[in-house]
Amino acid sequence: MIEIANNVYYVGVNDRNKNLFEGLWPLPYGVSYNSYLIDDEKVCLIDTVEVDFFVQFIENLRAVLGDRQIDYLVINHMEPDHSGALALLRKYYPGIKVIGNKKTFDLMSGFYGINDGTIEMKNGETLSLGKHDLQFFMTPMVHWPETMMTLYKGTESVLFTGDAFGCFGALNGGFIDKDIDTDWCWLEMIRYYSNIVGKYGVPVQNALKKLAGVPVDYICPTHGPVWNKYVDKVIGMYDRMSKYETAPGLVICYGTMYGNTERMAEHIARSASMAGVKNIGMFNVSKTHHSYILQDIFRFRGLIVGAPTYNSGLYHEMDVLLSEVANRDIKNHLIGWFGSYSWASKAVTAIGEWNEKRMHFEQVGKPVEMKQALTDETKRECQRLGREMAARLLTE
């Protein structure tokens, strides 16, 4: 097993078989379920793993402990990919005490029927492991109501953060950022944040304020690498993302059945590019998984969406995407939109209603509507929308 810091070991597992995280989000690089073991005078386990990996998990624990018992299990997050091994673990370590908060135990009772052998902690409280202490920070809604973080005050300060500061992707041999090529991590961290945590910007900001001034040498999340070299970078990324700060780029999302609406998107993109916008992402909402579209919407300030009218309403996949955007309470964005129809106009109106009632982005330009096929006049209107968005982005 890998020793992260003095007497702190990585005992997690990798999942390279699952296709969709939470049944929703693609995992092209797999995902890790991270668990950590502290070998002090009292032995403390931080989080468990998904129950399907229990046999490997027990092997990892015994590689460090041999036949010794575990005294404490800290559950920072009750989601089953981190608590799933709890019930089986108690059969192997019957004396283990589960450490959490009141909401942890409410969920634990419901998921696993476990109501005994618990130690409740409140914000700021500490627990001695013998030579060193644990300190607990309540961070509710990052991204469940019971979530908390645990600081191990050893020779080096190690912060166990649950899902915060995590990313998609299995760990291919190395576990600590300084020992691996982390180039793949950064977009996967943004995608993880935008897909899983993105709705909870205010709770993330509250958590960061609570942790301000706490010395941290290592960040140990429940997914992705252990952060040591890039501690400041990942904290900075979470700070920016939770404030909904963006780069001056443009995301153009469109639905299309026969290519006509896509041609509108091409004219908008070309016009924006000619006006000086360099970062432009274009996505067919029926082809690109929305996980990646949400990732770029979080990254860039500008958004232009367009779709055809379908069954007297908005094209289905665009309706779904706008619902996903609205559900994340994203802020500080600019939006323009366009649409098409064959005989009954609805798409442009429906997108406007989404923005007015749910998203509340700042509108840029007049929406463009096309009847049946692209005309020279429609082309000029699309080009105008692209230029107007570019002007707004570049002015900032």
Side-chain angles (χ1 to χ4, degrees):
M1 288 296 99
I2 297 294
E3 188 172 16
I4 296 168
N6 189 33
N7 297 322
V8 178
Y9 296 87
Y10 179 92
V11 290
V13 299
N14 287 301
D15 185 349
R16 295 185 176 85
N17 298 314
K18 183 174 290 182
N19 292 318
L20 294 174
F21 190 76
E22 298 181 337
L24 291 168
W25 315 113
L27 293 172
Y29 309 115
V31 68
S32 67
Y33 309 121
N34 299 342
S35 176
Y36 307 92
L37 193 67
I38 302 171
D39 188 9
D40 206 312
E41 291 177 13
K42 296 287 189 179
V43 175
C44 182
L45 180 65
I46 309 290
D47 293 307
T48 73
V49 301
E50 193 168 279
V51 69
D52 292 352
F53 296 87
F54 186 75
V55 171
Q56 183 181 343
F57 183 48
I58 285 293
E59 290 177 356
N60 292 348
L61 292 175
R62 287 178 169 167
V64 179
L65 294 176
D67 294 330
R68 286 181 295 151
Q69 290 293 301
I70 299 175
D71 298 289
Y72 300 123
L73 166 62
V74 173
I75 296 290
N76 284 318
H77 183 24
M78 270 297 301
E79 205 164 0
D81 53 338
H82 309 301
S83 68
L86 173 57
L88 280 174
L89 191 72
R90 279 168 51 110
K91 295 182 182 299
Y92 283 78
Y93 301 98
I96 199 168
K97 300 291 185 183
V98 181
I99 298 172
N101 56 70
K102 184 181 183 302
K103 291 180 180 178
T104 305
F105 302 139
D106 291 342
L107 289 165
M108 188 170 71
S109 177
F111 274 115
Y112 308 115
I114 296 173
N115 297 288
D116 60 340
T118 62
I119 300 174
E120 182 179 340
M121 288 292 168
K122 295 181 172 62
N123 187 63
E125 290 187 336
T126 61
L127 176 74
S128 175
L129 298 182
K131 296 177 182 177
H132 306 289
D133 293 341
L134 297 178
Q135 185 175 12
F136 303 92
F137 299 88
M138 302 302 121
T139 56
M141 298 316 301
V142 185
H143 59 119
W144 276 26
E146 87 300 351
T147 49
M148 65 183 195
M149 299 183 189
T150 303
L151 180 68
Y152 176 61
K153 300 178 178 181
T155 307
E156 297 173 288
S157 295
V158 182
L159 184 65
F160 303 97
T161 60
D163 276 350
F165 309 113
C167 70
F168 294 129
L171 300 175
N172 301 327
F175 302 96
I176 305 175
D177 60 359
K178 61 188 178 183
D179 298 329
I180 63 176
D181 181 350
T182 57
D183 286 350
W184 62 271
C185 296
W186 309 119
L187 281 181
E188 287 297 274
M189 176 175 279
I190 296 171
R191 189 165 70 91
Y192 181 88
Y193 181 92
S194 64
N195 293 184
I196 309 299
V197 189
K199 182 181 179 68
Y200 304 105
V202 171
V204 170
Q205 278 292 303
N206 291 337
L208 292 174
K209 291 173 185 175
K210 195 172 289 186
L211 293 165
V214 175
V216 177
D217 297 302
Y218 290 88
I219 290 177
C220 295
T222 46
H223 298 293
V226 172
W227 304 110
N228 170 242
K229 179 180 178 180
Y230 293 113
V231 164
D232 290 341
K233 179 173 181 175
V234 298
I235 292 174
M237 288 177 66
Y238 258 63
D239 185 40
R240 290 190 298 275
M241 289 188 293
S242 60
K243 291 176 180 174
Y244 302 98
E245 293 181 359
T246 52
L250 173 61
V251 177
I252 301 174
C253 311
Y254 64 89
T256 193
M257 289 184 286
Y258 304 109
N260 290 308
T261 316
E262 182 177 45
R263 291 178 66 198
M264 297 177 74
E266 294 283 5
H267 282 284
I268 293 168
R270 181 59 183 151
S271 178
S273 175
M274 291 178 67
V277 180
K278 294 183 178 180
N279 289 322
I280 300 176
M282 292 190 66
F283 300 100
N284 182 329
V285 294
S286 298
K287 183 176 181 181
T288 301
H289 196 284
H290 294 184
S291 174
Y292 298 95
I293 302 175
L294 290 169
Q295 166 193 283
D296 273 12
I297 291 174
F298 263 79
R299 293 172 66 200
F300 298 122
R301 168 88 157 134
L303 175 65
I304 296 179
V305 298
T309 299
Y310 192 84
N311 281 344
S312 301
L314 182 59
Y315 188 71
H316 174 74
E317 286 300 317
M318 180 57 70
D319 203 46
V320 172
L321 176 67
L322 295 180
S323 174
E324 292 167 338
V325 172
N327 187 53
R328 280 158 177 78
D329 293 333
I330 301 171
K331 299 173 178 60
N332 305 326
H333 276 59
L334 307 172
I335 189 169
W337 62 93
F338 61 101
S340 62
Y341 68 99
S342 294
W343 66 90
S345 170
K346 182 59 180 178
V348 164
T349 301
I351 295 171
E353 289 171 350
W354 265 113
N355 189 52
E356 179 182 357
K357 295 177 181 179
R358 294 288 307 279
M359 297 190 298
H360 311 298
F361 292 171
E362 180 184 337
Q363 181 179 344
V364 173
K366 178 183 176 182
V368 182
E369 187 170 50
M370 176 180 70
K371 183 177 181 180
Q372 294 157 0
L374 202 62
T375 65
D376 289 342
E377 176 60 25
T378 307
K379 290 178 186 177
R380 287 191 290 270
E381 288 298 296
C382 289
Q383 291 160 2
R384 170 198 48 80
L385 180 57
R387 287 194 303 271
E388 289 175 338
M389 180 60 79
R392 187 71 170 79
L393 290 170
L394 296 174
T395 298
E396 296 180 348

